[in-house]
Short mmCIF file of all heavy atoms in Angstrom, two decimals:
data_model
loop_
_atom_site.label_atom_id
_atom_site.label_comp_id
_atom_site.label_asym_id
_atom_site.label_seq_id
_atom_site.Cartn_x
_atom_site.Cartn_y
_atom_site.Cartn_z
N GLY A 11 87.91 88.40 78.74
CA GLY A 11 87.13 87.57 77.83
C GLY A 11 86.64 86.34 78.58
O GLY A 11 87.28 85.86 79.49
N ALA A 18 84.97 78.40 70.23
CA ALA A 18 86.15 77.94 69.53
C ALA A 18 87.07 79.07 69.08
O ALA A 18 88.09 78.84 68.48
CB ALA A 18 85.75 77.09 68.34
N GLU A 21 89.36 84.78 70.01
CA GLU A 21 88.91 86.10 70.45
C GLU A 21 88.20 86.07 71.80
O GLU A 21 88.02 87.10 72.43
CB GLU A 21 87.99 86.73 69.40
CG GLU A 21 88.74 87.09 68.14
CD GLU A 21 87.82 87.71 67.11
OE1 GLU A 21 87.49 88.89 67.25
OE2 GLU A 21 87.42 87.00 66.16
N ARG A 25 91.11 90.79 75.96
CA ARG A 25 90.73 91.85 76.87
C ARG A 25 90.09 92.98 76.06
O ARG A 25 90.70 93.51 75.13
CB ARG A 25 91.98 92.39 77.58
CG ARG A 25 91.75 93.58 78.51
CD ARG A 25 93.05 94.02 79.13
NE ARG A 25 93.57 93.01 80.01
CZ ARG A 25 93.50 93.08 81.35
NH1 ARG A 25 92.99 94.15 81.94
NH2 ARG A 25 93.98 92.11 82.08
N GLN A 35 97.92 115.09 67.60
CA GLN A 35 99.30 115.47 67.30
C GLN A 35 99.41 115.84 65.82
O GLN A 35 100.03 115.14 65.04
CB GLN A 35 100.26 114.32 67.65
CG GLN A 35 100.32 113.95 69.11
CD GLN A 35 100.97 115.03 69.98
OE1 GLN A 35 101.28 116.13 69.52
NE2 GLN A 35 101.16 114.75 71.25
N ARG A 37 100.65 117.24 62.45
CA ARG A 37 102.04 117.46 62.03
C ARG A 37 102.14 118.50 60.90
O ARG A 37 103.21 118.78 60.41
CB ARG A 37 102.69 116.15 61.57
CG ARG A 37 102.81 115.10 62.68
CD ARG A 37 103.97 115.37 63.64
NE ARG A 37 103.80 114.63 64.90
CZ ARG A 37 104.61 114.71 65.95
NH1 ARG A 37 105.65 115.53 65.94
NH2 ARG A 37 104.39 114.01 67.03
N GLU A 48 102.94 120.93 75.82
CA GLU A 48 104.36 120.84 75.55
C GLU A 48 105.02 122.20 75.79
O GLU A 48 104.35 123.23 75.84
CB GLU A 48 104.58 120.41 74.08
CG GLU A 48 104.21 118.94 73.85
CD GLU A 48 103.54 118.68 72.51
OE1 GLU A 48 102.91 119.62 71.97
OE2 GLU A 48 103.63 117.54 72.03
N CYS A 49 106.32 122.18 75.93
CA CYS A 49 107.07 123.42 76.11
C CYS A 49 107.24 124.09 74.75
O CYS A 49 107.54 123.41 73.77
CB CYS A 49 108.44 123.09 76.71
SG CYS A 49 109.43 124.55 77.04
N LEU A 69 124.87 101.56 70.07
CA LEU A 69 123.48 101.07 70.07
C LEU A 69 123.41 99.55 69.91
O LEU A 69 122.37 98.95 70.21
CB LEU A 69 122.67 101.74 68.96
CG LEU A 69 122.44 103.24 69.16
CD1 LEU A 69 121.67 103.81 67.97
CD2 LEU A 69 121.68 103.51 70.46
N ARG A 70 124.48 98.92 69.46
CA ARG A 70 124.45 97.47 69.35
C ARG A 70 124.32 96.82 70.74
O ARG A 70 123.84 95.71 70.88
CB ARG A 70 125.68 96.93 68.62
CG ARG A 70 126.96 96.98 69.43
CD ARG A 70 128.14 96.33 68.70
NE ARG A 70 129.29 96.23 69.59
CZ ARG A 70 129.47 95.25 70.47
NH1 ARG A 70 128.61 94.28 70.59
NH2 ARG A 70 130.54 95.24 71.26
N LEU A 71 124.76 97.54 71.78
CA LEU A 71 124.71 97.03 73.15
C LEU A 71 123.41 97.43 73.84
O LEU A 71 122.86 98.50 73.58
CB LEU A 71 125.88 97.58 73.96
CG LEU A 71 127.29 97.22 73.49
CD1 LEU A 71 128.34 97.99 74.29
CD2 LEU A 71 127.51 95.71 73.59
N TYR A 72 122.96 96.59 74.77
CA TYR A 72 121.82 96.98 75.60
C TYR A 72 122.18 98.24 76.37
O TYR A 72 123.33 98.46 76.72
CB TYR A 72 121.46 95.84 76.58
CG TYR A 72 120.63 94.77 75.91
CD1 TYR A 72 121.21 93.64 75.38
CD2 TYR A 72 119.26 94.93 75.79
CE1 TYR A 72 120.45 92.67 74.74
CE2 TYR A 72 118.49 93.96 75.15
CZ TYR A 72 119.09 92.85 74.63
OH TYR A 72 118.32 91.90 73.99
N THR A 111 103.19 98.73 92.34
CA THR A 111 104.07 98.40 93.47
C THR A 111 103.41 98.64 94.81
O THR A 111 103.51 97.82 95.73
CB THR A 111 105.36 99.24 93.40
OG1 THR A 111 106.02 98.99 92.16
CG2 THR A 111 106.30 98.92 94.57
N ASN A 114 98.30 97.55 96.90
CA ASN A 114 97.94 96.13 96.89
C ASN A 114 97.15 95.72 98.12
O ASN A 114 97.37 94.66 98.69
CB ASN A 114 99.20 95.29 96.75
CG ASN A 114 99.92 95.52 95.44
OD1 ASN A 114 99.47 95.06 94.39
ND2 ASN A 114 101.00 96.26 95.47
N GLY A 190 99.93 104.93 107.04
CA GLY A 190 99.64 103.59 106.54
C GLY A 190 99.46 103.51 105.04
O GLY A 190 99.17 102.46 104.50
N LYS A 225 107.45 118.52 80.17
CA LYS A 225 106.87 119.87 80.18
C LYS A 225 107.99 120.91 80.32
O LYS A 225 108.49 121.43 79.34
CB LYS A 225 105.86 120.00 81.31
CG LYS A 225 104.90 118.83 81.46
CD LYS A 225 103.97 118.69 80.27
CE LYS A 225 103.02 117.51 80.46
NZ LYS A 225 102.21 117.26 79.26
N GLY A 231 109.53 114.40 73.57
CA GLY A 231 109.86 113.46 72.49
C GLY A 231 110.75 112.31 72.93
O GLY A 231 110.91 111.33 72.20
N ARG A 233 110.88 109.97 76.17
CA ARG A 233 110.02 109.71 77.31
C ARG A 233 110.85 109.54 78.58
O ARG A 233 111.51 108.52 78.76
CB ARG A 233 109.16 108.47 77.03
CG ARG A 233 108.49 108.45 75.63
CD ARG A 233 107.56 109.62 75.38
NE ARG A 233 106.59 109.70 76.44
CZ ARG A 233 106.43 110.78 77.20
NH1 ARG A 233 107.15 111.87 77.01
NH2 ARG A 233 105.52 110.78 78.12
N TYR A 246 111.57 99.28 96.61
CA TYR A 246 110.39 98.49 96.25
C TYR A 246 110.02 98.70 94.78
O TYR A 246 109.69 97.76 94.05
CB TYR A 246 109.19 98.87 97.13
CG TYR A 246 109.27 98.36 98.56
CD1 TYR A 246 109.02 99.22 99.63
CD2 TYR A 246 109.57 97.03 98.84
CE1 TYR A 246 109.07 98.77 100.95
CE2 TYR A 246 109.62 96.57 100.15
CZ TYR A 246 109.37 97.43 101.20
OH TYR A 246 109.42 96.98 102.48
N TYR A 257 115.29 96.26 80.49
CA TYR A 257 115.84 97.33 79.65
C TYR A 257 114.70 98.14 79.05
O TYR A 257 113.96 97.64 78.22
CB TYR A 257 116.66 96.72 78.52
CG TYR A 257 117.79 95.84 79.01
CD1 TYR A 257 117.70 94.46 78.92
CD2 TYR A 257 118.93 96.41 79.57
CE1 TYR A 257 118.74 93.66 79.37
CE2 TYR A 257 119.97 95.61 80.03
CZ TYR A 257 119.86 94.23 79.92
OH TYR A 257 120.88 93.44 80.37
N ASP A 260 116.06 104.06 76.42
CA ASP A 260 117.02 104.05 75.32
C ASP A 260 118.33 104.73 75.72
O ASP A 260 118.34 105.68 76.51
CB ASP A 260 116.42 104.81 74.12
CG ASP A 260 115.23 104.06 73.52
OD1 ASP A 260 115.11 102.86 73.77
OD2 ASP A 260 114.45 104.70 72.80
N ALA A 261 119.42 104.25 75.11
CA ALA A 261 120.74 104.79 75.43
C ALA A 261 120.83 106.31 75.21
O ALA A 261 121.31 107.03 76.09
CB ALA A 261 121.82 104.05 74.63
N THR A 263 118.50 108.47 75.27
CA THR A 263 117.58 109.11 76.22
C THR A 263 118.25 109.29 77.58
O THR A 263 118.11 110.33 78.23
CB THR A 263 116.32 108.25 76.35
OG1 THR A 263 115.85 107.94 75.03
CG2 THR A 263 115.23 108.96 77.12
N GLY B 11 100.54 92.55 99.11
CA GLY B 11 100.66 92.86 100.53
C GLY B 11 99.31 92.66 101.20
O GLY B 11 98.27 92.85 100.59
N ALA B 18 99.70 99.63 110.57
CA ALA B 18 99.75 101.06 110.31
C ALA B 18 100.78 101.44 109.27
O ALA B 18 100.95 102.60 108.96
CB ALA B 18 100.03 101.79 111.62
N GLU B 21 103.93 100.01 104.10
CA GLU B 21 104.59 98.87 103.48
C GLU B 21 103.69 97.65 103.38
O GLU B 21 104.00 96.70 102.66
CB GLU B 21 105.86 98.51 104.25
CG GLU B 21 106.93 99.57 104.12
CD GLU B 21 108.18 99.20 104.90
OE1 GLU B 21 108.94 98.37 104.39
OE2 GLU B 21 108.37 99.74 106.00
N GLY B 23 101.05 97.46 101.89
CA GLY B 23 100.46 97.39 100.55
C GLY B 23 101.46 97.12 99.44
O GLY B 23 101.11 97.14 98.27
N ARG B 25 103.84 95.28 96.88
CA ARG B 25 103.99 94.03 96.14
C ARG B 25 105.43 93.52 96.33
O ARG B 25 106.38 94.23 96.02
CB ARG B 25 103.74 94.29 94.65
CG ARG B 25 103.96 93.09 93.73
CD ARG B 25 103.71 93.49 92.29
NE ARG B 25 102.32 93.79 92.09
CZ ARG B 25 101.45 92.96 91.48
NH1 ARG B 25 101.86 91.81 91.01
NH2 ARG B 25 100.20 93.31 91.35
N GLN B 35 126.23 93.78 82.56
CA GLN B 35 126.58 94.74 81.52
C GLN B 35 127.86 95.45 81.92
O GLN B 35 127.87 96.64 82.21
CB GLN B 35 125.44 95.75 81.32
CG GLN B 35 124.12 95.16 80.81
CD GLN B 35 124.22 94.64 79.38
OE1 GLN B 35 125.29 94.61 78.78
NE2 GLN B 35 123.11 94.21 78.82
N GLU B 48 124.09 90.22 72.13
CA GLU B 48 124.07 91.41 71.30
C GLU B 48 124.79 91.13 69.98
O GLU B 48 125.56 90.18 69.87
CB GLU B 48 124.77 92.57 72.05
CG GLU B 48 123.92 93.09 73.20
CD GLU B 48 124.74 93.48 74.42
OE1 GLU B 48 125.85 92.92 74.60
OE2 GLU B 48 124.26 94.31 75.22
N CYS B 49 124.56 91.98 69.00
CA CYS B 49 125.23 91.86 67.71
C CYS B 49 126.65 92.43 67.85
O CYS B 49 126.83 93.48 68.45
CB CYS B 49 124.45 92.64 66.66
SG CYS B 49 125.14 92.50 65.00
N LEU B 69 112.29 117.53 69.97
CA LEU B 69 112.08 116.78 71.21
C LEU B 69 111.13 117.47 72.17
O LEU B 69 110.61 116.85 73.09
CB LEU B 69 113.41 116.49 71.91
CG LEU B 69 114.36 115.56 71.16
CD1 LEU B 69 115.67 115.41 71.92
CD2 LEU B 69 113.72 114.19 70.95
N ARG B 70 110.91 118.77 71.97
CA ARG B 70 109.94 119.46 72.84
C ARG B 70 108.52 118.90 72.65
O ARG B 70 107.69 118.98 73.55
CB ARG B 70 109.97 120.97 72.60
CG ARG B 70 109.29 121.41 71.31
CD ARG B 70 109.23 122.92 71.17
NE ARG B 70 108.42 123.31 70.02
CZ ARG B 70 107.09 123.39 70.03
NH1 ARG B 70 106.41 123.16 71.12
NH2 ARG B 70 106.44 123.71 68.93
N TYR B 72 105.68 115.83 71.90
CA TYR B 72 105.48 114.40 72.10
C TYR B 72 105.79 113.66 70.81
O TYR B 72 105.57 114.20 69.72
CB TYR B 72 104.03 114.11 72.53
CG TYR B 72 103.81 114.37 74.00
CD1 TYR B 72 103.33 115.59 74.45
CD2 TYR B 72 104.14 113.40 74.95
CE1 TYR B 72 103.18 115.85 75.80
CE2 TYR B 72 103.98 113.65 76.29
CZ TYR B 72 103.51 114.87 76.73
OH TYR B 72 103.37 115.11 78.06
N THR B 111 96.79 91.29 76.57
CA THR B 111 95.68 91.44 75.63
C THR B 111 94.96 90.12 75.35
O THR B 111 93.72 90.08 75.31
CB THR B 111 96.19 92.01 74.29
OG1 THR B 111 96.81 93.26 74.53
CG2 THR B 111 95.06 92.18 73.27
N ASN B 114 93.22 85.85 78.59
CA ASN B 114 92.27 86.23 79.62
C ASN B 114 91.17 85.19 79.82
O ASN B 114 90.00 85.52 79.96
CB ASN B 114 91.64 87.58 79.26
CG ASN B 114 92.66 88.70 79.23
OD1 ASN B 114 93.11 89.16 80.27
ND2 ASN B 114 93.06 89.13 78.05
N VAL B 131 107.12 85.04 84.25
CA VAL B 131 107.09 86.29 85.02
C VAL B 131 105.88 87.13 84.62
O VAL B 131 105.13 87.62 85.46
CB VAL B 131 108.40 87.08 84.81
CG1 VAL B 131 108.30 88.47 85.41
CG2 VAL B 131 109.58 86.32 85.42
N GLY B 190 91.18 78.13 68.79
CA GLY B 190 90.60 78.82 69.95
C GLY B 190 91.62 79.54 70.79
O GLY B 190 91.27 80.11 71.82
N LYS B 225 118.90 92.11 68.28
CA LYS B 225 119.90 91.09 67.94
C LYS B 225 120.41 91.33 66.52
O LYS B 225 121.41 92.00 66.33
CB LYS B 225 119.29 89.70 68.07
CG LYS B 225 118.46 89.47 69.33
CD LYS B 225 119.27 89.51 70.60
CE LYS B 225 118.41 89.27 71.83
NZ LYS B 225 119.13 89.46 73.08
N GLY B 231 120.39 99.03 72.09
CA GLY B 231 120.44 100.28 72.87
C GLY B 231 119.25 101.19 72.66
O GLY B 231 119.05 102.14 73.41
N ARG B 233 115.33 100.55 72.40
CA ARG B 233 114.43 99.42 72.61
C ARG B 233 113.34 99.39 71.53
O ARG B 233 112.41 100.21 71.56
CB ARG B 233 113.83 99.52 74.01
CG ARG B 233 114.83 99.84 75.12
CD ARG B 233 115.95 98.79 75.25
NE ARG B 233 115.36 97.48 75.40
CZ ARG B 233 115.60 96.47 74.58
NH1 ARG B 233 116.43 96.60 73.56
NH2 ARG B 233 115.02 95.32 74.77
N TYR B 246 93.35 94.61 68.45
CA TYR B 246 93.16 94.33 69.89
C TYR B 246 94.38 94.78 70.70
O TYR B 246 94.25 95.38 71.76
CB TYR B 246 92.92 92.84 70.12
CG TYR B 246 91.56 92.33 69.69
CD1 TYR B 246 91.44 91.18 68.92
CD2 TYR B 246 90.40 92.99 70.07
CE1 TYR B 246 90.20 90.69 68.53
CE2 TYR B 246 89.14 92.51 69.68
CZ TYR B 246 89.05 91.37 68.92
OH TYR B 246 87.82 90.88 68.54
N TYR B 257 102.17 107.43 74.83
CA TYR B 257 103.45 107.81 74.25
C TYR B 257 104.56 106.97 74.86
O TYR B 257 104.87 107.13 76.04
CB TYR B 257 103.74 109.28 74.51
CG TYR B 257 102.67 110.20 73.99
CD1 TYR B 257 101.77 110.80 74.85
CD2 TYR B 257 102.55 110.44 72.62
CE1 TYR B 257 100.79 111.65 74.38
CE2 TYR B 257 101.57 111.28 72.14
CZ TYR B 257 100.68 111.89 73.02
OH TYR B 257 99.70 112.72 72.55
N ASP B 260 110.45 106.72 71.87
CA ASP B 260 111.13 108.00 71.70
C ASP B 260 111.20 108.42 70.23
O ASP B 260 111.31 107.57 69.34
CB ASP B 260 112.56 107.91 72.25
CG ASP B 260 112.58 107.74 73.76
OD1 ASP B 260 111.55 108.03 74.41
OD2 ASP B 260 113.61 107.30 74.28
N ALA B 261 111.19 109.72 70.01
CA ALA B 261 111.21 110.24 68.64
C ALA B 261 112.43 109.75 67.84
O ALA B 261 112.27 109.27 66.71
CB ALA B 261 111.14 111.76 68.65
N THR B 263 114.14 107.09 68.25
CA THR B 263 114.02 105.64 68.12
C THR B 263 113.13 105.28 66.94
O THR B 263 113.43 104.36 66.17
CB THR B 263 113.44 105.06 69.42
OG1 THR B 263 114.18 105.59 70.51
CG2 THR B 263 113.51 103.55 69.45
#
Side-chain angles (χ1 to χ4, degrees):
Chain A
E21 292 180 78
R25 177 181 293 257
Q35 296 291 7
R37 296 283 162 183
E48 288 142 334
C49 182
L69 293 178
R70 73 175 189 83
L71 298 173
Y72 279 95
T111 302
N114 296 286
K225 315 294 180 186
R233 313 300 306 123
Y246 287 132
Y257 303 105
D260 292 341
T263 311
Chain B
E21 292 180 78
R25 176 182 293 257
Q35 296 292 6
E48 288 143 335
C49 183
L69 294 177
R70 75 175 188 83
Y72 280 94
T111 301
N114 296 285
V131 170
K225 315 293 181 187
R233 314 300 306 122
Y246 287 132
Y257 303 105
D260 292 342
T263 311

